[in-house]
Amino acid sequence: MGQRNSTSLHDFILLGFSDHSKLEMALSGVVATFYLITLVGNTAIILASLLDSHLHTPMYFFLRNLSFLDLCFTTSIVPQMLVNLWGPHKTISYGGCVIQLYVYMWLGSIECLLLAVMSYDRFTAICKPLHYLVIMNPHLCLKMIIMVWSISLANSVVLCTLTLNLPRCGNNLLDHFLCELPAMLKIACIDTTAVELSVFALGIAIVLTPLILILISYGYIAKAVLRMKSRAGQRKAINTCGSHLTVVSIFYGAIIYMYLQPGNNASRGQGKFLTLFYTIITPSLNPLIYTLRNKDMKEALKKLMTVDHKFTKSKRTWKS
C-alpha cells in the first residue's frame, strides 16, 4: 500500500508523437486551426438560435446543448494539448491528469446520450407531428438534459475511479498526448482484465444502447418519410435527419473502435489519431454539418452577421 501511494502522485510524462517532432509541429497547427473553427462555429450556432425566435424549438434547444458541449469538450483538452505539443516539457501534474480524465470521460459520455435524445426529438417531430410540441414540452426537454448530464457524470466517476486506483509501480510514461482511459490502463502493473470488462460493460450501456435506440428511431423515421406525399416535406425531413445521422456516424464510429475492443486492440498510432479525430475534428465539423443543409439556421446566421455588421458600423460612427 505504501508503494502504491508513493507512486500514484507522480507527474505524468505525455509521450504524444515524441518520435516524430515534425509531425507534432504540423499537428499543433492543425489542432489550433480546428479549435478556432470549433469556437467560432459553435458560438455562432448558440447565439443565432438564441436571438432568432423562430429557433426557440426543442430541436434547436438540443442543438444549442450540443454546441455548448463541444465548446466545453475541446476547451478541456486543446489548451493543454497545445502546451505539450509546443513546449519542451511534455508533462502534466497528477491533479491535472485526474481532472482531465474525469472531465474528458464525463463530456464524452454526455455526447453519446445527447445524440440519442436528439434522435428521439426527430422521431417525435416526424412520426408524431401533431403532438410534437405537447410531447417535447420545455419541462421534458430540461429533464432529459439533466438526466443526460447526471448519468454521464456517474459513468465518469465509476470508470475513472476504478482506473486511477490501479497501482502503477512508478510508471508515469503515458503513450498519448492527453490523459485518456486506455492509455492509463496500459501503465498499470497488475492485470487490468476486471477494469477492462467494467469499461466494456458500461460502454455497452453508454455507447451501444443509445446507438441502438438511434437506429430504431431512424427506422421509424425512414418509414414515415417514405409515406409523405409532399416532396418538400420529404426533402426537409431528409436534410434535418441527414445532418444528425452524419454526426452520429462520425462520432460513434470512432468511439466504438476505441472503447469497445476488449484488450485495447487499437494500435498506438490509430488510437492517437482517432482521439484527435473525435475530440478536435468532429466538434469543428458539427456546425458545418448542421448549417449547410438547414435553411432556418442559415437564415439565423445571416441575421446574426447583419446585426454584428450594423453594431460595428454604428460603433465606428459613434467614435468618429
Side-chain angles (χ1 to χ4, degrees):
M1 181 65 75
Q3 185 188 21
R4 176 177 168 180
N5 289 337
S6 64
T7 60
S8 62
L9 299 178
H10 286 173
D11 290 352
F12 290 100
I13 299 172
L14 302 173
L15 298 180
F17 296 94
S18 55
D19 49 344
H20 300 285
S21 56
K22 290 183 179 179
L23 177 61
E24 283 196 338
M25 290 303 295
L27 281 175
S28 63
V30 172
V31 169
T33 301
F34 276 100
Y35 181 49
L36 183 61
I37 294 170
T38 300
L39 291 178
V40 173
N42 286 290
T43 302
I45 283 182
I46 292 170
L47 291 176
S49 60
L50 282 173
L51 295 174
D52 193 330
S53 59
H54 294 99
L55 302 185
H56 292 177
T57 63
M59 173 183 166
Y60 292 102
F61 170 74
F62 293 126
L63 183 55
R64 281 197 299 274
N65 273 272
L66 180 63
S67 292
F68 176 71
L69 174 64
D70 284 340
L71 287 173
C72 295
F73 197 34
T74 51
T75 302
S76 69
I77 297 163
V78 172
Q80 176 68 44
M81 187 187 298
L82 290 176
V83 168
N84 288 327
L85 288 173
W86 287 336
H89 304 294
K90 304 178 187 302
T91 60
I92 183 171
S93 67
Y94 176 79
C97 188
V98 169
I99 292 170
Q100 188 179 77
L101 183 63
Y102 275 100
V103 172
Y104 183 79
M105 285 298 299
W106 183 26
L107 299 179
S109 301
I110 290 170
E111 185 142 2
C112 290
L113 298 178
L114 182 57
L115 289 173
V117 169
M118 292 174 75
S119 72
Y120 176 73
D121 170 70
R122 291 298 81 212
F123 161 76
T124 310
I126 293 170
C127 298
K128 301 179 181 180
L130 297 178
H131 303 97
Y132 174 59
L133 293 177
V134 176
I135 296 172
M136 300 301 294
N137 59 77
H139 183 64
L140 178 64
C141 292
L142 184 60
K143 280 176 67 176
M144 291 172 84
I145 289 297
I146 292 172
M147 283 183 63
V148 163
W149 284 71
S150 302
I151 292 170
S152 301
L153 178 60
N155 176 65
S156 174
V157 169
V158 171
L159 289 183
C160 294
T161 303
L162 285 173
T163 303
L164 290 168
N165 281 336
L166 291 171
R168 293 181 291 276
C169 304
N171 297 332
N172 66 337
L173 295 177
L174 278 177
D175 190 13
H176 219 298
F177 45 77
L178 56 84
C179 295
E180 195 183 29
L181 195 139
M184 295 290 289
L185 285 174
K186 286 178 181 177
I187 63 171
C189 58
I190 62 168
D191 182 23
T192 59
T193 303
V195 177
E196 286 176 18
L197 288 174
S198 300
V199 172
F200 188 76
L202 283 171
I204 290 174
I206 297 293
V207 179
L208 281 188
T209 303
L211 181 59
I212 291 169
L213 294 175
I214 289 171
L215 295 176
I216 292 172
S217 297
Y218 274 98
Y220 283 106
I221 288 170
K223 286 173 63 177
V225 169
L226 290 173
R227 290 174 185 168
M228 288 181 181
K229 296 179 181 179
S230 167
R231 290 290 180 185
Q234 280 185 335
R235 199 177 304 113
K236 185 175 181 180
I238 290 170
N239 285 341
T240 304
C241 296
S243 301
H244 184 247
L245 268 179
T246 304
V247 172
V248 166
S249 302
I250 293 171
F251 181 78
Y252 274 97
I255 290 291
I256 288 171
Y257 189 84
M258 279 292 295
Y259 287 96
L260 294 186
Q261 291 192 90
N264 297 318
N265 293 324
S267 72
R268 289 166 52 195
Q270 282 180 332
K272 293 173 189 177
F273 279 111
L274 278 172
T275 302
L276 269 178
F277 187 78
Y278 71 77
T279 57
I280 309 299
I281 297 176
T282 303
S284 68
L285 293 178
N286 287 353
L288 295 174
I289 293 168
Y290 279 107
T291 55
L292 286 177
R293 304 182 69 178
N294 190 314
K295 186 179 178 181
D296 294 335
M297 183 55 72
K298 284 181 184 177
E299 291 298 320
L301 288 172
K302 285 179 184 177
K303 288 180 184 178
L304 181 63
M305 291 174 68
T306 303
V307 170
D308 181 63
H309 176 71
K310 288 180 179 178
F311 176 75
T312 305
K313 192 175 180 180
S314 62
K315 194 175 180 181
R316 287 176 181 170
T317 306
W318 182 78
K319 283 183 177 180
S320 60

